[in-house]
Amino acid sequence: MILPQTDTSLFKRLRFVLVETSHPGNIGAVARAMKTMGFAELVLVNPRFGDALTNPEAVAFASGAQDILESARIVGSIDEALAGCHFVAAVSARLREFSPPVFTPRDIAYNLAKEQGQPVALVFGNERYGLPNEIVVNCNALINIPANPDYSSLNLAQAVQLLAYECRVAELGEQRPATDIGFHGVAASLSDIDGMYAHLEKALVAIHFLDPDNPKKLMPRLKRLFSRTQLEQEEVNILRGIAKKILDADPKK
């Protein structure tokens, strides 16, 4: 019997928990921030208004992420919100004397990605008051975003976006998705590039830009310049075409 495969990626395991959110627009903006980074599980703990997930402002700010709102849950306690989670991190701008270990968003994202398929959660507090101490001290970690110390205020959705981005990078690495946008040519071979350098050197001598008796560092510097460009075959052909035109125009070639 072949058992169905279960997606254990961080995208399926990570739960975003909002505690006592005051503004419906922020809930919609959080849904949008989550969806842009590929996350879907949203739980609200005692939001300050009854129609938290259907409020017109929440729907408007979700801007296409209404499916996140529709699948979100509203619960009455933090214990219910975190049920089943194996690792929980609280997000707070305020450091406590007695708190769990403090992590940056990047560090915590990699820790969450390594949790071996277990459910994990990020907890965000009220826009004005943040998270109460009794919630923070019961978390496994405290996330402090290293913002400008002179103005460290972050909107709730901005904080969620930042954490969601770091978690996405931690799960996927720095790989970029394949795309057909832009031209992707064939890389030039070393022999093709060497031939181009020889051709270009002749052209530069022909127009007296390069003195063969006193070349100094011109060709090594040009080679260094082109080595940073990852030359493609068509680009090498263009440069050789330019060199050919220069030589064709020189009666002493």
Side-chain angles (χ1 to χ4, degrees):
M1 177 180 178
I2 300 177
L3 296 176
Q5 291 186 341
T6 302
D7 186 347
T8 60
S9 72
L10 190 57
F11 299 111
K12 298 296 184 183
R13 296 186 290 109
L14 179 57
R15 185 180 307 172
F16 288 79
V17 178
L18 308 185
V19 178
E20 298 184 355
T21 312
S22 297
H23 302 291
N26 283 337
I27 293 177
V30 164
R32 181 178 183 179
M34 290 170 55
K35 187 168 183 176
T36 59
M37 293 297 119
F39 298 97
E41 188 175 0
L42 175 62
V43 180
L44 310 182
V45 180
N46 294 324
R48 296 292 180 87
F49 42 94
D51 60 345
L53 299 175
T54 57
N55 183 283
E57 189 176 344
V59 173
F61 275 77
S63 188
Q66 284 84 356
D67 55 323
I68 306 297
L69 295 180
E70 292 170 1
S71 63
R73 294 184 292 123
I74 297 178
V75 299
S77 69
I78 189 66
D79 290 339
E80 189 178 353
L82 299 177
C85 289
H86 285 243
F87 190 96
V88 178
V91 182
S92 176
R94 182 165 58 91
L95 298 177
R96 277 86 165 168
E97 181 179 1
F98 299 101
S99 80
V102 179
F103 291 83
T104 65
R106 187 156 300 175
D107 289 338
I108 202 68
Y110 282 101
N111 280 353
L112 295 177
K114 293 188 295 185
E115 273 298 303
Q116 301 297 321
Q118 301 293 348
V120 292
L122 296 174
V123 183
F124 300 81
N126 174 269
E127 296 92 328
R128 184 174 179 181
Y129 303 108
L131 285 170
N133 287 333
E134 56 267 26
I135 289 181
V136 173
V137 297
N138 287 318
C139 291
N140 301 103
L142 177 63
I143 303 169
N144 186 253
I145 297 172
N148 176 5
D150 296 325
Y151 187 74
S152 59
S153 175
L154 275 177
N155 174 272
L156 174 59
Q158 291 173 333
V160 169
Q161 185 78 79
L162 192 154
L163 267 297
Y165 168 77
E166 292 292 353
C167 288
R168 181 177 183 84
V169 172
E171 180 68 17
L172 296 179
E174 297 292 346
Q175 65 186 15
R176 297 182 180 181
T179 175
D180 294 329
I181 299 175
F183 178 76
H184 302 280
V186 177
S189 67
L190 290 177
S191 60
D192 289 333
I193 294 174
D194 287 342
M196 179 206 73
Y197 287 141
H199 205 167
L200 186 59
E201 185 173 3
K202 289 181 182 179
L204 294 176
V205 170
I207 61 174
H208 307 292
F209 191 85
L210 173 62
D211 181 355
D213 296 323
N214 188 26
K216 298 184 179 179
K217 300 288 186 180
L218 179 59
M219 289 309 299
R221 287 186 179 279
L222 286 176
K223 290 180 179 181
R224 183 183 175 194
L225 184 156
F226 285 120
S227 69
R228 297 198 297 268
T229 65
Q230 297 181 326
L231 284 165
E232 297 174 356
Q233 182 62 59
E234 187 62 27
E235 294 165 342
V236 167
N237 292 341
I238 290 170
L239 290 169
R240 295 199 69 162
I242 293 171
K244 183 176 185 300
K245 281 293 184 181
I246 292 172
L247 291 170
D248 287 347
D250 178 23
K252 298 179 181 179
K253 68 178 189 299

